[in-house]
Amino acid sequence: MSPLEMKLEFPAATAPPPPDLSRPDSLFDAAATIAMQVFPDMTLTKITSFDSGVYNQLFELDLASSGGRSGERPILRVATVKKATSDISLESEVATMAYIKLYTTIPVPDVYAYCPNAKNPLGAPFVIISRMVGQALDVAWPQLSYDARVRVIQEYARVTSKLLQCQFPLIGSLHFGTDDSPIVLGDVSLRKMCADIRAEYEDYASWKGPWQDAAQWLKASLEDELQFMTKDSLKCQSWNDQVLVLDIDTIWPIAQRIIPELLNKWTPLVASDKWSKGPFYLGHADLSFANVMVDKDGSITGVVDWEMSSTMPLWNVVCCPPWAEDIELCDSFTFQIVYLDELGRLGLSDDIIDVARHDGWRRDYADG
């Protein structure tokens, strides 16, 4: 299915009120209208809350065929009011998954349809995707055998090796282009760009990239935070109360002192290696326990939530996953060795494996 066929547009000129995502039954009529357009031979019979986060709410759609037989059970992901009425990160995510399906064998959801703005029956940006088989790793891990856990680490290394086959000259995010270039590299796509609180700042768009090296990328991100902090502390307090639930009076003076130091001292150090100049590689941005699906044997059956993905320096993609480093100390050392050995078995060069072994601190700095 082409991007034009996946993207839905609705005739309404204005968006309806934001949905009450805490009441799935209140979404039924709107979801049924959309399902009728996406699955013309199926009927929505039930909508069930599946999972939730700060930025998105997930629902499972029970669909039945015209004969009453149960059929597809796709996932409807709806943006929460923490985002603005236009969700650029969603459109970039769909483009990224299309690219991954085209150029790798990494298992990602099928996209049935999406709408990147709120002008639809739901009153919020949404995407309908296939449900991946298996369990999220955060649920499955405690029940996995030791051998299955080792297999998870090995499979993660294989996912990494496939991402390293996707090389780019700049740091940015993937977007849909034209027929001649259906997927192109452009502005970086982050959730915070979709926040209503930032939408009113006209100069906010000045740092979106793409960038030629990691120093420009890190510097732009920190400068954006400084700009945002100095705009309106009350608005920052409001955003903080909704999203972070931290004491702004405590963190505000610390942030004002630390961010300039990070900008002027640490960023040049982090980006001083040769890999910070490129090439750059497609990265997930949040390969956490919750976004990796596995079966009972430890095989990875899906990688989900590609929102905010972008091209990144080598050290932001190849290093051992943070969750493997947070496991009990003895297992952590073992799993890191398993991961590095698997990268070698897959044919990655000694230079790249050396980055995976030693440069996790650069990755942690960029992620922080």
Side-chain angles (χ1 to χ4, degrees):
M1 184 179 291
S2 72
L4 289 178
E5 293 172 315
M6 291 188 293
K7 185 175 181 178
L8 298 183
E9 295 182 354
F10 297 86
T14 58
D20 181 358
L21 299 182
S22 65
R23 296 179 53 240
D25 58 305
S26 70
L27 305 180
F28 186 88
D29 289 343
T33 299
I34 294 170
M36 188 182 303
Q37 184 171 341
V38 180
F39 307 100
D41 298 328
M42 309 289 285
T43 301
L44 179 66
T45 59
K46 185 180 180 182
I47 180 170
T48 308
S49 181
F50 182 71
D51 197 3
S52 63
V54 172
Y55 294 100
N56 297 292
Q57 178 87 29
L58 275 65
F59 301 92
E60 184 179 73
L61 304 180
D62 283 348
L63 300 172
S65 65
S66 56
R69 183 172 55 85
S70 179
E72 297 277 353
R73 299 181 71 183
I75 300 299
L76 168 67
R77 195 186 77 192
V78 185
T80 69
V81 293
K82 300 297 188 296
K83 288 183 177 177
T85 54
S86 180
D87 188 356
I88 60 172
S89 62
L90 169 58
E91 194 142 26
S92 176
E93 178 184 16
V94 174
T96 300
M97 289 192 290
Y99 183 94
I100 291 168
K101 278 187 170 291
L102 188 61
Y103 294 107
T104 81
T105 56
I106 298 172
V108 298
D110 293 319
V111 177
Y112 297 121
Y114 72 98
C115 181
N117 57 61
K119 295 179 181 180
N120 61 69
L122 285 169
F126 71 85
V127 61
I128 300 177
I129 57 176
S130 62
R131 182 170 181 174
M132 305 298 288
V133 298
Q135 287 184 307
L137 193 52
D138 58 344
V139 176
W141 187 265
Q143 283 76 46
L144 292 178
S145 67
Y146 183 81
D147 288 344
R149 293 181 179 186
V150 168
R151 187 172 294 110
V152 170
I153 303 298
Q154 292 171 327
E155 294 247 325
Y156 185 96
R158 293 174 194 138
V159 169
T160 298
S161 70
K162 293 169 185 175
L163 289 175
L164 294 183
Q165 296 170 12
C166 305
Q167 295 188 20
F168 299 85
L170 302 170
I171 297 177
S173 292
L174 297 179
H175 301 269
F176 288 122
T178 63
D179 290 341
D180 292 336
S181 300
I183 300 176
V184 297
L185 188 67
D187 295 351
V188 72
S189 174
L190 296 178
R191 286 191 188 107
K192 67 180 182 179
M193 291 180 179
C194 301
D196 282 322
I197 187 173
R198 295 180 185 246
E200 65 188 73
Y201 298 140
E202 295 180 359
D203 54 349
Y204 177 66
S206 62
W207 78 277
K208 293 182 180 179
W211 299 281
Q212 295 180 339
D213 59 55
Q216 293 178 355
W217 169 54
L218 295 171
K219 182 173 179 286
S221 183
L222 287 168
E223 286 178 341
D224 165 70
E225 293 303 323
L226 282 174
Q227 172 184 300
F228 179 54
M229 288 169 58
T230 56
K231 285 289 185 180
D232 193 329
S233 61
L234 293 178
K235 286 185 178 292
C236 290
Q237 172 69 70
S238 173
W239 176 83
N240 176 79
D241 289 344
Q242 295 179 57
V243 180
L244 299 180
V245 196
L246 297 174
D247 180 7
I248 198 75
D249 293 330
T250 300
I251 66 171
W252 194 257
I254 297 175
Q256 288 179 311
R257 174 175 54 84
I258 289 179
I259 291 181
E261 182 177 344
L262 295 176
L263 179 62
N264 298 319
K265 180 179 179 180
W266 287 100
T267 292
L269 177 63
V270 171
S272 62
D273 68 313
K274 69 175 183 177
W275 300 103
S276 293
K277 304 294 185 182
F280 304 105
Y281 305 88
L282 186 59
H284 182 281
D286 186 20
L287 269 179
S288 63
F289 256 24
N291 292 330
V292 178
M293 309 293 292
V294 298
D295 64 17
K296 60 182 178 60
D297 297 320
S299 295
I300 292 179
T301 58
V303 180
V304 301
D305 195 5
W306 290 84
E307 194 174 26
M308 299 199 305
S309 58
S310 68
T311 58
M312 303 175 180
L314 176 67
W315 37 260
N316 222 44
V317 179
V318 77
C319 292
C320 190
W323 46 263
E325 298 173 352
D326 292 339
I327 300 167
E328 295 86 353
L329 191 60
C330 58
D331 285 346
S332 175
F333 287 133
T334 301
F335 291 148
Q336 290 180 59
I337 293 171
V338 168
Y339 177 74
L340 295 172
D341 286 349
E342 186 66 15
L343 292 180
R345 195 189 69 78
L346 292 168
L348 273 67
S349 69
D350 290 342
D351 281 352
I352 291 178
I353 294 175
D354 194 54
V355 171
R357 179 179 288 111
H358 297 298
D359 280 9
W361 66 277
R362 299 181 195 271
R363 186 265 320 274
D364 295 342
Y365 177 86
D367 289 349

